[in-house]
Amino acid sequence: MANKLLSEMGLPKSIANIFAARNLITAKDVFSLTEFELMELLDVDLSVVTSAVAHISEITCPPYQTALSLLEQRGQNENMAGHLPTSLKGLDNALCGGIPFGVVTELVGPAGIGKTQFCLKLSLLASLPSSYGGLDGSVIYIDTESKFSSRRMIEIGFNSFPEVFQTEGMAQEMAGRILVLRPTSLSEFTDSLQKIKVSLFQHGVKLLIIDSMAALLSGEGVQGPQRQHSLGWHISFIKSVAEFSRIPVVVTNQVRSQSRDGNSYYSFQEQSRGESSEAATKVDSHLVAALGIHWAHAVSIRLIFESRSGQRFIKLAKSPVSPPLAFPFNITSSGISLLNDDGVEMPGPEIHSISCQGHNDVINLGSEMMH
């Protein structure tokens, strides 16, 4: 607006001609001088300058908006964008409807805490017929750690939506809508992403899940500037997929800790090395989200999954529409279930901390049926 031409502002012709003669062409040219400097430059009375500046300011400045109008506008934008309800009432209310379309939502937490269980339920909800509250679409599930369990997904479906899954052929139909990709390297993953962007509309995809990003980068041994360059490209591409397709994109992220020897370890690496529960607790005593600050700034929603003294929580650590809240949950035969829908407001650094106290003795539901 500052570059708006003075000739288009409806100033009195006499003062407009003086501005033009002194080479004051835009509003910015006028605002860069004080009223006394303008009075000397234009050789006019201060009252004339004050009146002209007030007129230019009124036209140049954007109109005022009330807090109420901004709130109504945001609500309209959210309704147009859409959400994928999680079926967790408290979380859906906090997110104004569920997982939002068109942005990246991150699930971060230690291995086995329930992130994949959450993703399996989301897959079902996206493929569920619209008459039952679903999106009636296909799902692309990028499974980088081979944790996707079709048997567990069907079990969740039968217990969550018995009226749907007891209909003949419905379980097979919904399972057929979930397309699982298992890239074994970062290059395969990159190729998968590029193909996905082309096929989103062909397959009627309504949800993209990447479970998980951190495992791919750690498996490649990518570190330092090379890691940040690769991660930067993937962040941009994943965000463009979300914005281009207007679908929810959910990405899981692991946690890492700094051990006494100065090396960084991921929680799934601790388990793969066969460390004892006591040793894992020592290593994981201070956990942070993997992938770093650049990644954290790129996601619009961050849900932290953690365990404190054997009780699991989903923490809404980052959201443009909600205060920081923590919801206690259990994993049941029908998936994740909140213990209450109110949540506990948790301001300050505690909302961003990640704990796994008592983690190993509560997270093993369904571990025997991973395929």
Side-chain angles (χ1 to χ4, degrees), residues 2 17 25 36 61 70 93 95 115 125 134 137 206 210 212 225-227 246 261 263-264 269 279 318 324 335 342 346:
N17 289 338
I25 308 301
F36 287 103
C61 295
L70 289 172
N93 288 342
L95 291 173
K115 303 186 300 296
L125 291 164
K206 298 295 179 68
I210 303 172
S212 71
Q226 182 184 356
R227 173 192 174 96
R246 303 307 302 171
D261 60 8
N263 294 321
S264 291
Q269 291 175 325
K318 181 182 180 182
D342 296 329
M346 191 178 289

Side-chain angles (χ1 to χ4, degrees), residues 55-67:
H55 180 84
I56 295 168
S57 298
E58 183 178 356
I59 294 176
T60 304
C61 295
Y64 291 109
Q65 288 183 284
T66 66

Side-chain angles (χ1 to χ4, degrees), residues 150-298:
S150 55
R151 187 181 302 177
R152 173 61 176 148
M153 185 189 68
I154 297 299
E155 180 191 24
I156 292 173
F158 268 106
N159 286 282
S160 301
F161 316 105
E163 67 280 12
V164 179
F165 275 75
Q166 288 173 7
T167 303
E168 185 176 356
M170 184 58 74
Q172 290 82 353
E173 180 181 341
M174 290 182 63
R177 294 178 179 180
I178 300 173
L179 314 174
V180 181
L181 303 176
R182 282 180 167 160
T184 59
S185 66
L186 191 59
S187 60
E188 277 188 33
F189 173 70
T190 303
D191 290 341
S192 298
L193 283 179
Q194 292 172 330
K195 293 174 183 175
I196 283 170
K197 197 166 185 179
V198 176
S199 62
L200 281 171
F201 294 108
Q202 295 175 347
H203 295 286
V205 174
K206 298 295 179 68
L207 172 65
L208 170 62
I209 292 176
I210 303 172
D211 185 17
S212 71
M213 188 72 192
L216 280 172
L217 288 173
S218 64
E220 295 282 318
V222 182
Q223 298 294 334
Q226 182 184 356
R227 173 192 174 96
Q228 290 305 311
H229 175 75
S230 175
L231 186 58
W233 183 92
H234 286 90
I235 289 172
S236 298
F237 196 94
I238 292 168
K239 289 186 68 175
S240 72
V241 168
E243 294 167 1
F244 164 76
S245 59
R246 303 307 302 171
I247 64 171
V249 173
V250 177
V251 181
T252 67
N253 187 7
Q254 294 287 356
V255 295
R256 61 180 174 83
S257 59
Q258 199 76 19
S259 69
R260 294 178 181 178
D261 60 8
N263 294 321
S264 291
Y265 297 106
Y266 296 92
S267 59
F268 60 84
Q269 291 175 325
E270 318 293 347
Q271 292 184 352
S272 65
R273 293 205 307 268
E275 292 194 3
S276 67
S277 172
E278 183 180 354
T281 301
K282 288 180 180 178
V283 173
D284 290 343
S285 59
H286 178 66
L287 299 173
V288 295
L291 303 181
I293 296 298
H294 189 190
W295 172 267
H297 287 315

Side-chain angles (χ1 to χ4, degrees), residues 86 107 112-125 141 147-149 152-153 155-156 209 211 252 305 312 329-337 363-370:
T86 67
L107 316 179
I113 193 69
K115 303 186 300 296
T116 296
Q117 302 283 331
F118 191 86
C119 290
L120 292 175
K121 186 67 169 284
L122 288 182
S123 299
L124 287 171
L125 291 164
Y141 196 116
K147 287 186 176 181
F148 180 88
S149 168
R152 173 61 176 148
M153 185 189 68
E155 180 191 24
I156 292 173
I209 292 176
D211 185 17
T252 67
F305 288 63
R312 284 166 285 191
F329 76 94
N330 284 335
I331 298 180
T332 68
S333 59
S334 59
I336 284 178
S337 175
I363 312 294
N364 294 320
L365 179 67
S367 61
E368 70 281 359
M369 46 184 188
M370 292 304 295

Side-chain angles (χ1 to χ4, degrees), residues 352-371:
H352 300 289
S353 66
I354 306 173
S355 173
C356 64
Q357 298 168 6
H359 170 72
N360 293 304
D361 60 350
V362 293
I363 312 294
N364 294 320
L365 179 67
S367 61
E368 70 281 359
M369 46 184 188
M370 292 304 295
H371 301 287

